[in-house]
Amino acid sequence: MKSKLTAVALAALVVAGTAATAIPASAATAKAAPTRCHTADLKAGFAMGEDAKPEMDQAERETQAHIWFTNKSTRTCTLSGFAGVDMIGAQGTDGTWSLARSSKTPEKMVLEPGDTTDFSINLLPVAESTPQKEKFVPAKFLVTPPNETEHFTLKWPFGGQILKQDGATHPGTYLNPVGL
């Protein structure tokens, strides 16, 4: 009786062990979905190409500056949403201006190692003769990737000044989502 019970128990263990280690072919080849990019995974900067530079020397229309993120990590990651952007002014009266977001819908961007994406900032430049209290002179941009808390500090390389609308409901200076 003892040997019959042992044989049944042993057979149950073998079957259970085999079932637990069996992996369907589809699951064995499936890759884990990439997770979001963290600040440490990225590097950032202003796009400097001729067609990417904002036209800060004119005051007749909006212009755009572009900030890029490059995946410097060895893993694939995603970015989705809006970066956080705080402009720090060069004038003593400027302070910090947290930019508003556009109404555009963000898309998920998948960044392989070395891939780059960007986002644009619409700017409303003003003439140098504009009274000081009506203009904001950018000096630095604190740029936080979507869903992160650590930021990059970027020096504003383009000069010029922007119409000060830091308290406006629909300012002429605002952010667009990453990838758009």
Side-chain angles (χ1 to χ4, degrees), residues 5-17:
L5 204 57
T6 305
V8 170
L10 185 58
L13 280 175
V14 169
V15 170

mmCIF file of all heavy atoms in Angstrom, residues 5-17:
data_model
loop_
_atom_site.group_PDB
_atom_site.id
_atom_site.type_symbol
_atom_site.label_atom_id
_atom_site.label_comp_id
_atom_site.label_asym_id
_atom_site.label_seq_id
_atom_site.Cartn_x
_atom_site.Cartn_y
_atom_site.Cartn_z
ATOM 1 N N LEU A 5 0.908 4.372 -2.901
ATOM 2 C CA LEU A 5 0.679 5.756 -2.537
ATOM 3 C C LEU A 5 1.865 6.627 -2.940
ATOM 4 O O LEU A 5 1.695 7.725 -3.462
ATOM 5 C CB LEU A 5 0.445 5.834 -1.023
ATOM 6 C CG LEU A 5 -0.346 7.025 -0.517
ATOM 7 C CD1 LEU A 5 -1.712 7.103 -1.171
ATOM 8 C CD2 LEU A 5 -0.492 6.948 0.976
ATOM 9 N N THR A 6 3.073 6.124 -2.725
ATOM 10 C CA THR A 6 4.277 6.852 -3.107
ATOM 11 C C THR A 6 4.328 7.042 -4.617
ATOM 12 O O THR A 6 4.674 8.116 -5.099
ATOM 13 C CB THR A 6 5.538 6.101 -2.621
ATOM 14 O OG1 THR A 6 5.413 5.891 -1.218
ATOM 15 C CG2 THR A 6 6.778 6.879 -2.906
ATOM 16 N N ALA A 7 3.978 6.009 -5.360
ATOM 17 C CA ALA A 7 3.992 6.098 -6.820
ATOM 18 C C ALA A 7 2.980 7.132 -7.311
ATOM 19 O O ALA A 7 3.252 7.919 -8.218
ATOM 20 C CB ALA A 7 3.706 4.744 -7.438
ATOM 21 N N VAL A 8 1.789 7.190 -6.710
ATOM 22 C CA VAL A 8 0.763 8.162 -7.103
ATOM 23 C C VAL A 8 1.229 9.573 -6.775
ATOM 24 O O VAL A 8 1.096 10.493 -7.573
ATOM 25 C CB VAL A 8 -0.585 7.833 -6.413
ATOM 26 C CG1 VAL A 8 -1.598 8.947 -6.607
ATOM 27 C CG2 VAL A 8 -1.132 6.521 -6.925
ATOM 28 N N ALA A 9 1.806 9.761 -5.581
ATOM 29 C CA ALA A 9 2.300 11.075 -5.180
ATOM 30 C C ALA A 9 3.428 11.532 -6.093
ATOM 31 O O ALA A 9 3.490 12.699 -6.502
ATOM 32 C CB ALA A 9 2.755 11.040 -3.729
ATOM 33 N N LEU A 10 4.342 10.622 -6.423
ATOM 34 C CA LEU A 10 5.457 10.942 -7.309
ATOM 35 C C LEU A 10 4.939 11.313 -8.697
ATOM 36 O O LEU A 10 5.391 12.282 -9.300
ATOM 37 C CB LEU A 10 6.432 9.758 -7.376
ATOM 38 C CG LEU A 10 7.706 9.988 -8.174
ATOM 39 C CD1 LEU A 10 8.475 11.176 -7.619
ATOM 40 C CD2 LEU A 10 8.567 8.752 -8.142
ATOM 41 N N ALA A 11 3.973 10.587 -9.199
ATOM 42 C CA ALA A 11 3.392 10.894 -10.513
ATOM 43 C C ALA A 11 2.729 12.266 -10.487
ATOM 44 O O ALA A 11 2.842 13.043 -11.433
ATOM 45 C CB ALA A 11 2.385 9.809 -10.904
ATOM 46 N N ALA A 12 2.053 12.620 -9.399
ATOM 47 C CA ALA A 12 1.393 13.925 -9.282
ATOM 48 C C ALA A 12 2.427 15.042 -9.276
ATOM 49 O O ALA A 12 2.243 16.082 -9.902
ATOM 50 C CB ALA A 12 0.543 13.965 -8.022
ATOM 51 N N LEU A 13 3.553 14.841 -8.597
ATOM 52 C CA LEU A 13 4.617 15.838 -8.576
ATOM 53 C C LEU A 13 5.221 16.044 -9.961
ATOM 54 O O LEU A 13 5.467 17.170 -10.382
ATOM 55 C CB LEU A 13 5.725 15.434 -7.595
ATOM 56 C CG LEU A 13 5.457 15.713 -6.127
ATOM 57 C CD1 LEU A 13 6.584 15.136 -5.267
ATOM 58 C CD2 LEU A 13 5.340 17.204 -5.888
ATOM 59 N N VAL A 14 5.450 14.961 -10.668
ATOM 60 C CA VAL A 14 6.030 15.063 -12.005
ATOM 61 C C VAL A 14 5.081 15.823 -12.930
ATOM 62 O O VAL A 14 5.474 16.728 -13.652
ATOM 63 C CB VAL A 14 6.378 13.661 -12.562
ATOM 64 C CG1 VAL A 14 6.724 13.729 -14.028
ATOM 65 C CG2 VAL A 14 7.512 13.067 -11.765
ATOM 66 N N VAL A 15 3.797 15.491 -12.896
ATOM 67 C CA VAL A 15 2.811 16.173 -13.743
ATOM 68 C C VAL A 15 2.699 17.638 -13.350
ATOM 69 O O VAL A 15 2.724 18.521 -14.191
ATOM 70 C CB VAL A 15 1.441 15.458 -13.651
ATOM 71 C CG1 VAL A 15 0.351 16.281 -14.313
ATOM 72 C CG2 VAL A 15 1.526 14.087 -14.283
ATOM 73 N N ALA A 16 2.617 17.932 -12.047
ATOM 74 C CA ALA A 16 2.500 19.318 -11.585
ATOM 75 C C ALA A 16 3.744 20.107 -11.956
ATOM 76 O O ALA A 16 3.656 21.239 -12.415
ATOM 77 C CB ALA A 16 2.275 19.357 -10.083
ATOM 78 N N GLY A 17 4.909 19.509 -11.783
ATOM 79 C CA GLY A 17 6.149 20.201 -12.133
ATOM 80 C C GLY A 17 6.238 20.484 -13.613
ATOM 81 O O GLY A 17 6.644 21.549 -14.033
#
